[in-house]
Amino acid sequence: MYKIVNAEFLAENIKRFVIEAPKIAAKRKAGQFVIIRLNDGGERIPLTIADSETANGTITIIVQGIGKTTKELNSLNTGDFILDVVGPLGKASHIEKFGTAVSIGGGVGTAIAYPTAVALKQAGNHTISIIGGRTRELVILENELKQVCDEVYPTTDDGSYGFHGFVTQKLKQLIDNGTRIDFVLAIGPIPMMKAVAETTRPYGIKTVVSLNPVMVDGTGMCGGCRATVDNKTVFVCVDGPEFDAHLVDFATLERRNRTYKESEQEALHEHLCHFDKAFEQGLKLNN
Amino acid sequence: MPELSKKDRMKIPRQPMPEQDGVVRSGNFKEVNLGFTEELAKMEALRCLQCPKPVCIDGCPVEVKIKDFIHLVAEGDFLGAASKIKEDNMLPAVCGRVCPQEEQCEAKCVVGVKGESVAIGRLERFVADYEREHLGLKTPELKPKTGKKVAIIGSGPSGLSCAGDLIQSGHDVTVFEALHELGGVLVYGIPEFRLPKDIVKAEIDSLKSLGVDFQTNAVIGFTDTIDELMQNGYDAVFIAVGAGLPYFLNIEGENLNGVYSSNEFLTRVNLMKAYKFPEFDTPVFNVKDKTVAVFGGGNTAMDAVRTSKRLGAKNAYIIYRRSDAELPARKEEIHHAKQEGIEFLLLANPNKFIGDKDGWLTGVELIKMELGEPDASGRRKPVPIKDSNYVLNIDMAVIAIGNGSNPIIQQTTPDINFNKWGNILVDEESMATSKKGVFAGGDIVTGGATVILAMGAGRKAAKAINEYLTQN
């Protein structure tokens, strides 16, 4: 059992958890992930480690409630427990002094990009962060990033905050204004990562993305997370999760991620029905 | 016990295994074989000729004293028989169910030369089940504590058998398991209907009662490296991580939605209980009234195809490139599969998978094969018949053609020598790797093999580790 020592919402539906997991905290490097299972009937889902504190023996994960498991997780609070947390899994981000490095986070992807942005800064890069959200509330970790990065540019699709437009438009603007960019890391929804890859491709800027396929064991045993990179099949859990954005077949990734769409809806529906029932029962009891 | 002549014994027919009806069981996940009754077991035991030189034992990778335990069964001393087996095999309830006895002990059985061999496996299973049901956990005697600590990586058959021997030798034993549940392939791979999970749990509980420490969610290489384990006070390490990296066919369309490795399909259903979705959270492709094709002819392929039938598949095919005679699965599994309505498309090989515009699998292009000259394995090599391609409409595919080696230990332990396929190189006698104090066995050494071979390797390693710890 792994104790949640702190849980707080960063935005609507996006919650930060600090979890007691001393072994993982001591070992994890930027870019690695954990697999969690909430309870006995629970599924195993991968979540990138956003941060850790060795002294306290804690890791941080940031979760957007989308499916049944992430919504259920986001209903947990400080003091609650998670049944299984295993990791750190996957290969660490490849960090070196590139020169100027841009880390781009879309929505909750910012949480995943954050540790690598920190590592890039520590490696001596001039570090720029572009953090996007649909609207102001969904731009997360701006203050945290400002403390480590040389430049931070929030963007919103609706113009409610920061740069009005997509992260790719901000990136293009930087390139057009003559900023020399040596490395780009992009993490977020698949269409965003794909768009970043297409933005940097003509300039030949080395670009890395972190893939988020469906996983079960997370150790190479099942092959469910396979993706196509450079026309070859890779297992994201052991070969990644980070890959050269210019070689990733995003269409296949997006398609494979839809495999359980119907089941996810069904599970979520069941979950919400149970929740409603429990809520009704609660009302009855109270009345 | 009546004194029977050899001739009388030879006259007794091999006793049939009571089993669930084929049609009924293809709709449930309960165990297929129901096990011998006491009467059947005694009758079967009387078939054993009690040979002066029991060659059956040569066929057993862990050299169970077969003749002696069967003698005890014939006398009705079932608990005595169980103790006799456990002198050499800590997991008889598992082995009695999943060992390929027909290729091992039973293949050597003298009775089998002219008739049908003694059903050694079924007797082993009966005895183990009898002990579990009548006695519960029985604790063998442990040697005095040595103060030495051994880390075992992997809680599958090899790790469990090694742990059982080492704890009895007086060493402290910790078993590290990457998944959240113990048992390795016995829980994620082999389905409930062939090996009920309660039986695996009972075997593990018995090791726990002896003092074996189990740690789940521990991916050695990541959570701790082998070097860190040794720095943290472990005097020896046994690597028994299994094969654990599924092979794919490497043909077009393999990443379409609806194409699984057998590991993924079986893990979702067995370990994660996807057959109870949405009560359990993990989904699996809904095969109800759909057509499923499983590629491969081994036990895992049979497990996968029979599982898909139980999940409601309308048509469930085994597609195998050689003929019936070469199917590597156990005869019993093939027989059971056929009883359950599995169709066998033999001498057929997939060329490519075909999908719809949304990327869902809709079919597979097959080519018919014929058998040519024997190849390196001694089996006749399948050769494609020109222009015999045809398309079979399928909704789900499962690739069950074996496993390569998981890379995590290799990536994190540079001073262990591996071969080019990623298998650990060991001394065949001692199971010692190139790294001092580190031993390895099971599928990570041999490539995908059987439960009993992995157990045999675990026992061999336990003996060598015990010697190593005594000397160091």
Side-chain angles (χ1 to χ4, degrees):
Chain A
M1 297 281 270
Y2 298 78
K3 190 177 181 185
I4 298 169
V5 294
N6 190 40
E8 59 174 325
F9 278 103
L10 296 181
E12 194 192 335
N13 224 8
I14 297 179
K15 201 166 185 177
R16 170 161 54 195
F17 295 92
V18 180
I19 301 164
E20 243 173 38
K23 291 206 98 147
I24 303 172
K27 302 284 298 210
R28 76 99 198 177
K29 294 196 175 83
Q32 290 186 296
F33 64 93
V34 287
I35 291 232
I36 67 150
R37 194 172 72 116
L38 291 181
N39 45 46
D40 250 333
E43 62 179 334
R44 296 168 64 96
I45 60 162
L47 292 164
T48 301
I49 305 165
D51 207 351
S52 65
E53 272 196 57
T54 317
N56 301 337
T58 59
I59 59 167
T60 302
I61 53 172
I62 297 176
V63 184
Q64 184 168 22
I66 299 170
K68 186 202 168 193
T69 301
T70 47
K71 278 191 194 293
E72 209 174 334
L73 175 54
N74 278 4
S75 73
L76 298 182
N77 292 307
T78 304
D80 289 339
F81 289 86
I82 296 172
L83 182 58
D84 295 299
V85 180
V86 56
L89 300 171
K91 288 185 174 161
S93 304
H94 174 74
I95 302 291
E96 61 175 275
K97 190 173 174 184
F98 297 102
T100 296
V102 180
S103 100
I104 305 176
V108 77
T110 302
I112 304 167
Y114 171 75
T116 307
V118 174
L120 286 166
K121 180 63 196 170
Q122 283 166 352
N125 290 286
H126 180 83
T127 309
I128 301 172
S129 265
I130 305 174
I131 50 176
R134 211 172 54 245
T135 186
R136 178 174 190 143
E137 287 71 45
L138 297 174
V139 175
I140 59 168
L141 299 180
E142 185 184 355
N143 288 332
E144 286 84 347
L145 282 161
K146 273 188 175 155
Q147 284 169 31
V148 287
C149 296
D150 299 285
E151 302 170 43
V152 177
Y153 300 105
T155 73
T156 50
D157 301 359
D158 64 0
S160 56
Y161 186 61
F163 177 88
H164 185 176
F166 297 133
V167 288
T168 41
Q169 290 168 316
K170 182 66 207 176
L171 176 66
K172 187 81 174 33
Q173 190 191 58
L174 289 175
I175 297 169
D176 289 345
N177 289 348
T179 310
R180 186 200 144 87
I181 297 173
D182 304 290
F183 176 80
V184 170
L185 167 78
I187 303 175
I190 294 169
M192 183 216 102
M193 294 195 285
K194 190 175 177 211
V196 171
E198 293 318 316
T199 306
T200 57
R201 193 191 300 274
Y203 302 95
I205 300 170
K206 185 177 167 61
T207 304
V208 164
V209 288
S210 178
L211 305 187
N212 59 338
V214 175
M215 288 188 189
V216 184
D217 64 293
T219 63
M221 188 270 281
C222 86
C225 66
R226 60 197 193 279
T228 310
V229 178
D230 199 13
N231 294 317
K232 289 194 267 297
T233 293
V234 294
F235 288 8
V236 173
C237 65
V238 286
D239 298 324
E242 293 182 4
F243 294 95
D244 183 336
H246 297 144
L247 301 176
V248 171
D249 176 351
F250 288 103
T252 301
L253 178 68
E254 197 164 24
R255 177 167 61 59
R256 285 187 58 80
N257 276 1
R258 282 200 302 265
T259 303
Y260 300 105
K261 200 124 201 156
E262 275 179 33
S263 305
E264 278 163 16
Q265 291 301 326
E266 191 185 338
L268 191 57
H269 181 72
E270 285 271 322
H271 176 61
L272 296 176
C273 287
H274 281 298
F275 188 77
D276 283 348
K277 264 186 218 147
F279 186 68
E280 275 170 28
Q281 274 169 359
L283 283 180
K284 276 181 205 149
L285 287 176
N286 286 333
N287 287 332
Chain B
M1 179 173 140
E3 259 323 307
L4 291 177
S5 69
K6 194 172 155 185
K7 215 172 159 189
D8 292 336
R9 289 172 188 270
M10 298 279 279
K11 274 190 197 150
I12 306 171
R14 184 173 158 113
Q15 302 299 298
M17 172 60 93
E19 58 186 34
Q20 265 200 81
D21 173 75
V23 177
V24 173
R25 71 173 188 252
S26 69
N28 70 47
F29 277 86
K30 290 187 198 132
E31 193 172 17
V32 171
N33 287 338
L34 302 172
F36 276 167
T37 58
E38 291 180 29
E39 290 69 34
L40 285 171
K42 277 197 211 164
M43 187 59 81
E44 183 63 32
L46 287 176
R47 299 182 67 231
C48 174
L49 302 180
Q50 294 291 312
C51 305
K53 279 187 192 158
V55 284
C56 49
I57 297 176
D58 301 341
C60 176
V62 297
E63 295 174 20
V64 166
K65 297 176 191 80
I66 297 167
K67 172 183 164 180
D68 298 348
F69 102 75
I70 293 185
H71 180 69
L72 290 164
V73 175
E75 290 192 324
D77 181 2
F78 305 135
L79 294 176
S83 302
K84 187 54 74 183
I85 296 177
K86 284 199 166 167
E87 288 174 15
D88 303 290
N89 182 350
M90 284 296 289
L91 307 171
V94 173
C95 291
R97 287 171 165 83
V98 304
C99 264
Q101 291 99 7
E102 64 279 8
E103 293 168 16
Q104 298 178 343
C105 50
E106 292 180 19
K108 304 264 181 179
C109 175
V110 171
V111 181
V113 175
K114 277 189 180 161
E116 283 192 286
S117 57
V118 175
I120 301 168
R122 291 171 183 180
L123 287 171
E124 181 184 32
R125 171 194 158 137
F126 166 78
V127 163
D129 287 356
Y130 185 91
E131 188 198 36
R132 193 179 62 255
E133 285 155 18
H134 288 81
L135 198 66
L137 295 175
K138 194 185 164 206
T139 313
E141 268 193 39
L142 305 186
K143 295 229 169 74
K145 281 285 170 205
T146 62
K148 304 277 185 180
K149 282 171 71 181
V150 185
I152 294 177
I153 311 172
S155 67
S158 199
L160 292 180
S161 66
C162 189
D165 281 5
L166 287 172
I167 199 84
Q168 289 184 57
S169 304
H171 308 298
D172 283 332
V173 179
T174 308
V175 178
F176 296 92
E177 167 56 49
L179 290 169
H180 58 264
E181 219 167 288
L182 299 167
V185 73
L186 305 175
V187 297
Y188 76 72
I190 303 177
E192 181 78 14
F193 58 81
R194 202 149 73 83
L195 178 63
K197 300 306 154 236
D198 283 353
I199 285 163
V200 181
K201 192 173 172 297
E203 305 273 18
I204 289 167
D205 284 346
S206 122
L207 292 175
K208 280 183 184 165
S209 76
L210 299 182
V212 176
D213 175 33
F214 286 94
Q215 294 194 15
T216 52
N217 295 330
V219 185
I220 300 304
F222 287 139
T223 318
D224 279 305
T225 61
I226 288 176
D227 284 321
E228 284 163 338
L229 290 176
M230 300 190 90
Q231 284 154 20
N232 293 340
Y234 288 98
D235 302 289
V237 175
F238 179 52
I239 306 171
V241 296
L245 194 78
Y247 283 136
F248 283 88
L249 293 158
N250 290 320
I251 59 173
E252 192 183 324
E254 201 154 33
N255 291 343
L256 287 164
N257 294 2
V259 182
Y260 286 90
S261 74
S262 51
N263 284 5
E264 183 185 4
F265 178 64
L266 290 171
T267 298
R268 282 179 179 273
V269 179
N270 298 332
L271 179 72
M272 306 308 295
K273 306 213 163 32
Y275 66 95
K276 293 185 184 168
F277 180 87
E279 181 194 339
F280 283 71
D281 289 346
T282 303
V284 71
F285 181 85
N286 186 352
V287 297
K288 196 154 175 43
D289 300 324
K290 300 275 174 61
T291 298
V292 175
V294 175
F295 297 86
N299 289 322
T300 309
M302 298 305 146
D303 287 346
V305 78
R306 296 170 68 197
T307 296
S308 74
K309 193 76 185 175
R310 282 162 173 75
L311 291 171
K314 186 174 64 181
N315 304 302
Y317 296 104
I318 282 285
I319 299 180
Y320 180 61
R321 61 198 182 125
R322 300 177 200 252
S323 74
D324 205 61
E326 288 83 12
L327 279 167
R330 294 186 61 199
K331 292 283 167 285
E332 182 179 76
E333 306 308 325
I334 297 166
H335 174 67
H336 279 161
K338 286 181 177 168
Q339 281 181 332
E340 289 164 17
I342 306 301
E343 294 163 70
F344 284 67
L345 283 183
L346 302 168
L347 290 164
N349 207 33
N351 277 345
K352 64 174 178 185
F353 290 109
I354 300 160
D356 65 14
K357 63 175 173 34
D358 297 321
W360 285 90
L361 178 72
T362 58
V364 58
E365 184 187 298
L366 299 171
I367 186 158
K368 291 183 180 164
M369 311 289 276
E370 59 190 348
L371 292 179
E373 296 297 310
D375 64 10
S377 72
R379 296 179 299 180
R380 290 176 65 193
K381 191 179 152 87
V383 188
I385 301 171
K386 205 165 170 263
D387 297 328
S388 66
N389 321 24
Y390 68 106
V391 171
L392 178 73
N393 291 332
I394 58 173
D395 303 292
M396 185 180 93
V398 179
I399 318 293
I401 56 167
N403 275 280
S405 308
N406 192 282
I408 293 175
I409 296 286
Q410 187 167 15
Q411 284 167 3
T412 54
T413 324
D415 49 346
I416 288 180
N417 289 341
F418 287 76
N419 70 13
K420 64 176 172 177
W421 297 285
N423 299 118
I424 298 177
L425 294 167
V426 296
D427 177 279
E428 276 188 25
E429 279 314 302
S430 68
M431 313 303 281
T433 69
S434 52
K435 188 175 172 72
K436 189 172 173 350
V438 180
F439 299 75
D443 283 3
I444 189 62
V445 170
T446 56
T450 60
V451 168
I452 189 69
L453 280 174
M455 285 186 46
R459 301 212 71 203
K460 215 160 143 186
K463 193 163 165 270
I465 291 169
N466 190 33
E467 278 164 22
Y468 170 81
L469 292 176
T470 315
Q471 287 156 13
N472 285 273

